[in-house]
Amino acid sequence: MTLAMDVARLLNCEADERPCGECNPCKRITGQLHTDVRAIRVEGTGREGRGRTAISIDQIRDLQKEASLKPYEGRYRVFIVDGAEQLTEEAANALLKVLEEPPEEVVFLLLTADTGSLLPTIISRCQRIELRPLALDIIAEELVKRFGTEREQANEVARISGGKPGWALEASGDSDMLERRASQLDTVEVTLRQSIEGRFAYAERLGTAFTRNRDGVLAELTLMVQWWRDVLVVSQDKTELVTNLSRLDALRAAADGLSSDAVASAIKAVQETMSHLERNVNPRLALENMMLTLPTIN
Ligand SMILES: [Zn+2]
């Protein structure tokens, strides 16, 4: 998405060296105010009250309509389909029609982590750009340079980013994001030390949140998987592979009391719960079940 936004700025920038990031169109695109640049992603809640899990045909019909119009304020209309693997089949087919006869002055950017889920006919209409993870020390270096981040924190953010520079830049410019993450990790560590009441209270909170904020809950569980993975690498004395560097003490304490098998089962339990949730089982039951399975930590 970071790169896609840069392409949108590049196409509409008014400076000589594009994208400048400073001119009016650049700023309007960054602020998501530019009328010619639009991101399409899974959004809102379905009619039946359940969280939507796909980009719908209605969203692509809107895109079709807008794409047939001349750019309103810029040189190009840019549509960024964020999570193109989440198009429903009919939405994908509707998009394919637009891609087969692309209007002039319109650029479509399809973002996906899984090209295998796209229609081959769509892929054949696109120019593919593959993005690979960047070396972590390059990311850390850049954070120190751009934001004056402390070296230790820069290293941690780089590791958390998993090599995604856009994520690392955004996180470093947004202290709330890192604080929220830290407080979620605090909750994980506290809850895993608790008896069944505390664990069920956690399951209930996440279960309730899931109906209105599906992605948020899945992100919290991903964080939990990452935390357990850290416990595993610590128990194998591979500290250099730890993601959450600032948590080393808690990770060591947890690793001390558990066998590697127990930790590996914990990782599996959380991952299975995530796939159950994605298949729309009763969220609270699935989460309670997970909390019963996870071992108690030191
Ligand atoms: Zn510009």
Side-chain angles (χ1 to χ4, degrees):
M1 180 51 97
T2 309
L3 179 61
M5 292 295 281
D6 255 346
V7 172
R9 282 185 284 262
L10 174 81
L11 291 168
N12 286 299
C13 179
E14 285 170 352
D16 291 334
E17 285 209 21
R18 295 179 289 148
C20 72
E22 300 295 327
C23 69
N24 193 37
C26 278
K27 280 193 181 149
R28 285 178 62 76
I29 292 170
T30 307
Q32 297 176 27
L33 300 166
H34 201 288
T35 43
D36 296 324
V37 177
R38 214 151 73 76
I40 290 105
R41 53 173 68 92
V42 176
E43 61 191 25
T45 309
R47 276 182 216 108
E48 67 278 28
R50 237 192 234 160
R52 279 220 182 122
T53 58
I55 298 173
S56 68
I57 179 77
D58 292 343
Q59 287 174 278
I60 299 302
R61 283 200 188 113
D62 286 347
L63 174 154
Q64 257 170 332
K65 249 177 265 162
E66 275 182 55
S68 65
L69 305 170
K70 287 239 166 246
Y72 183 72
E73 58 176 297
R75 275 194 295 270
Y76 287 92
R77 277 192 190 271
V78 181
F79 295 95
I80 304 168
V81 182
D82 183 10
E85 74 280 2
Q86 288 165 314
L87 289 159
T88 63
E89 202 183 325
E90 50 175 357
N93 279 310
L95 180 63
L96 178 62
K97 284 212 186 87
V98 191
L99 297 180
E100 278 169 347
E101 287 173 46
E104 276 178 60
E105 302 162 322
V106 182
V107 173
F108 300 94
L109 299 164
L110 277 54
L111 317 185
T112 184
D114 177 17
T115 40
S117 310
L118 300 187
L119 292 179
T121 38
I122 285 194
I123 295 177
S124 71
R125 288 270 150 199
C126 295
Q127 183 179 342
R128 281 174 69 162
I129 302 170
E130 264 180 60
L131 303 181
R132 300 189 179 284
L134 205 59
L136 302 185
D137 49 344
I138 296 180
I139 294 182
E141 193 62 43
E142 198 60 31
L143 297 181
V144 173
K145 225 174 12 183
R146 284 201 201 187
F147 300 100
T149 313
E150 302 262 346
R151 173 56 67 173
E152 210 166 292
Q153 204 198 343
N155 285 341
E156 183 171 52
V157 173
R159 289 192 190 192
I160 298 168
S161 79
K164 293 187 286 231
W167 190 93
L169 291 175
E170 196 182 325
S172 297
D174 175 5
S175 58
D176 285 359
M177 190 165 157
L178 291 173
E179 271 167 34
R180 202 165 47 241
R181 192 175 184 282
S183 108
Q184 285 177 345
L185 282 175
D186 286 341
T187 310
V188 167
E189 286 168 6
V190 169
T191 310
L192 289 173
R193 287 189 205 107
Q194 281 173 341
S195 61
I196 200 67
E197 288 85 6
R199 288 171 168 240
F200 273 20
Y202 177 79
E204 187 182 348
R205 183 178 66 74
L206 282 193
T208 310
F210 188 74
T211 1
R212 56 190 152 72
N213 183 11
R214 185 186 172 94
D215 290 347
V217 170
L218 289 174
E220 202 161 333
L221 292 174
T222 304
L223 198 60
M224 202 192 265
V225 170
Q226 210 178 56
W227 188 86
W228 279 111
R229 177 202 161 274
D230 276 353
V231 176
L232 190 64
V233 297
V234 168
S235 76
Q236 313 272 327
D237 282 326
K238 301 254 193 260
T239 316
E240 72 278 8
L241 297 177
V242 167
T243 301
N244 298 289
L245 281 173
S246 56
R247 303 262 155 186
L248 261 188
D249 291 345
L251 295 168
R252 284 206 179 101
D256 263 350
L258 296 169
S259 70
S260 303
D261 281 352
V263 179
S265 307
I267 295 174
K268 209 170 143 211
V270 184
Q271 285 173 330
E272 277 175 3
T273 305
M274 291 172 71
S275 69
H276 287 149
L277 290 174
E278 275 160 1
R279 277 182 271 126
N280 287 322
V281 299
N282 180 320
R284 186 166 158 191
L285 277 183
L287 289 158
E288 280 182 358
N289 200 15
M290 176 186 85
M291 293 314 288
L292 282 172
T293 316
L294 293 176
T296 306
I297 58 162
N298 286 327

